[in-house]
Amino acid sequence: MGAIISGLGISLPDNVLTNADLERMVDTSDEWILTRTGIRERRILPKDSPLLASDLGAAAALQALQRAGVRADQVGAILVGGIVPDMQFPSTACIIQEKIGAKNAFAFDITAACAGFVYGVNMASLLIDSGQCDHVLVIGAETLSRAVDWTDRNTCILFGDAGAAAVLSRGPKDRGVIRSLLRSDGGAADILKLGNLAHGTACINMDGKHVFKLAVSEVSRVVVDTLALEGLTAANLDLFVAHQANVRILNAIGEKLGLPEEKVMVNVQRYGNTSSASVPLALFEAEAEGRLKPGMLVGLAAVGGGMAWGCNLVRW
Ligand code: ACO
């Protein structure tokens, strides 16, 4: 039996922050942001909002369950990626478990920054393949606006808040997650990091050029390597849904893989970088746009702080 993605859900703050809004906050311009990143706007929780990462994650999870036709009490495990957890502990995953009533699940957070969803899909497929779980929720729950220095133009233009979720379920053998490959390099920890929020004033800090280069080279490499393990090449991909950090990164990876533009999903212009929520959010929109058809070979990929990156191949 395969581990199929049986339902997707999203939860976005209503509040839109445009590049024009950012022009009033820091020394930047719509033109600079658009040409360097492709981002036009992002969703941001208002400063005084009581909502936490678990609220965005729980709302996305409930929608994903409803679309999968799976009850919360049928979920065997909840895996949550997120850079700003509600608390140091308990995990955001346990808080979401309680909020959605998934009383039969075990739950834990995955600390792989923007790669959290791709790491989670790998773990979820193993839990299903091994027979331990019938349904697993993989969630990206991100309130990045609370970890951004809103006076730092290098970083504050990049990020957005979002929750997005996928239910993985036991399904037919010829569908679902075919193969995953995950990689990390702790030696590159310094190029993208967020100090411990409990210690006070930590903010996301990055060496943008270094991150850019590693993202392009390593994501293309891991996608090629994952495909090769199945005797496939990038030419076999019907759709490529990668972490939405920057349109230039997506274009460069697409070019390295030799993918035509229409096979590379891009929605970073509307949401910015939503870290671990970005791949399921892009998948959700690809499905809504009718771009995901049964039998298609879909490549998921992401890279984030750690550095941590990886790829999942999914037969839709
Ligand atoms: N507005 C105007 N000017 C800016 C801004 C801004 N918002 N931000 C930086 N600058 C200035 C800098 O101060 C610098 O000026 P200087 O040359 O006088 O010192 C200059 O612009 C830098 O310009 P470039 O070097 O040409 O910028 P670059 O093309 O490298 O783009 C960017 C910067 C967008 C950050 C790019 O490096 C990038 O996208 N890197 C990847 C980072 C990323 O995506 N991180 C997200 C997390 S990682 C992940 O999710 C994979």
Side-chain angles (χ1 to χ4, degrees):
M1 300 293 272
I4 62 163
I5 294 182
S6 55
L8 292 159
I10 61 170
S11 168
L12 295 161
D14 294 332
N15 188 35
V16 176
L17 185 75
T18 64
N19 291 350
D21 296 327
L22 282 162
E23 283 177 353
R24 291 187 283 274
M25 295 161 63
V26 289
D27 181 13
T28 191
S29 66
D30 175 48
E31 194 266 336
W32 194 97
I33 299 172
L34 209 49
T35 52
R36 296 306 209 287
T37 72
I39 301 167
R40 292 178 183 278
E41 59 186 42
R42 60 295 279 146
R43 302 295 184 93
I44 300 287
L45 284 171
K47 257 193 196 136
D48 56 357
S49 167
L51 294 181
L52 298 169
S54 65
D55 294 303
L56 295 179
L62 287 173
Q63 186 185 29
L65 286 170
Q66 190 254 326
R67 290 165 66 114
V70 172
R71 293 189 318 270
D73 65 6
Q74 293 176 292
V75 174
I78 302 172
L79 318 182
V80 176
I83 281 172
V84 186
D86 287 18
M87 317 206 358
Q88 210 63 41
F89 71 84
S91 65
T92 306
C94 280
I95 297 169
I96 290 175
Q97 175 193 14
E98 177 61 16
K99 285 185 174 167
I100 66 173
K103 56 179 189 286
N104 297 314
F106 65 90
F108 64 95
D109 288 355
I110 297 172
T111 305
C114 305
F117 182 78
V118 166
Y119 270 49
V121 165
N122 188 173
M123 298 307 124
S125 70
L126 295 174
L127 288 168
I128 290 169
D129 288 346
S130 71
Q132 191 173 346
C133 298
D134 293 330
H135 305 283
V136 178
L137 263 170
V138 184
I139 305 169
E142 296 288 6
T143 50
L144 292 152
S145 62
R146 287 164 184 168
V148 161
D149 175 356
W150 288 102
T151 66
D152 175 15
R153 68 178 183 172
N154 289 293
T155 52
C156 75
I157 57 151
L158 296 173
F159 300 101
D161 298 330
V167 182
L168 276 83
S169 302
R170 191 181 302 281
K173 198 176 170 29
D174 57 346
R175 289 181 53 207
V177 181
I178 297 170
R179 170 79 74 163
S180 296
L181 196 54
L182 304 182
R183 290 180 174 149
S184 309
D185 177 9
D190 267 348
I191 67 172
L192 180 58
K193 60 188 177 186
L194 169 62
N196 192 330
L197 290 166
H199 295 167
T201 56
C203 290
I204 294 172
N205 186 281
M206 69 172 189
D207 171 349
K209 280 191 192 304
H210 203 148
V211 171
F212 193 107
K213 278 189 200 149
L214 187 144
V216 173
S217 63
E218 294 305 333
V219 170
S220 357
R221 200 191 319 267
V222 80
V223 172
V224 168
D225 291 352
T226 316
L227 285 159
L229 288 168
E230 292 297 319
L232 300 167
T233 70
N236 295 107
L237 285 176
D238 295 302
L239 190 66
F240 181 58
V241 183
H243 172 45
Q244 305 284 309
N246 178 322
V247 79
R248 285 162 58 218
I249 295 179
L250 291 169
N251 289 343
I253 296 170
E255 216 167 279
K256 267 185 170 266
L257 295 175
L259 293 172
E261 234 175 68
E262 65 273 13
K263 286 192 179 181
V264 180
M265 180 65 197
V266 179
N267 69 354
V268 68
Q269 67 277 14
R270 286 193 295 281
Y271 306 112
N273 180 344
T274 59
S275 187
S276 63
S278 88
V279 171
L281 174 56
L283 264 180
F284 181 95
E285 292 209 329
E287 188 171 56
E289 290 166 14
R291 294 175 70 175
L292 286 166
K293 305 241 162 46
M296 275 186 160
L297 183 66
V298 182
L300 311 182
V303 53
M307 294 298 284
W309 63 96
C311 172
N312 318 115
L313 290 182
V314 184
R315 182 66 68 187
W316 206 258

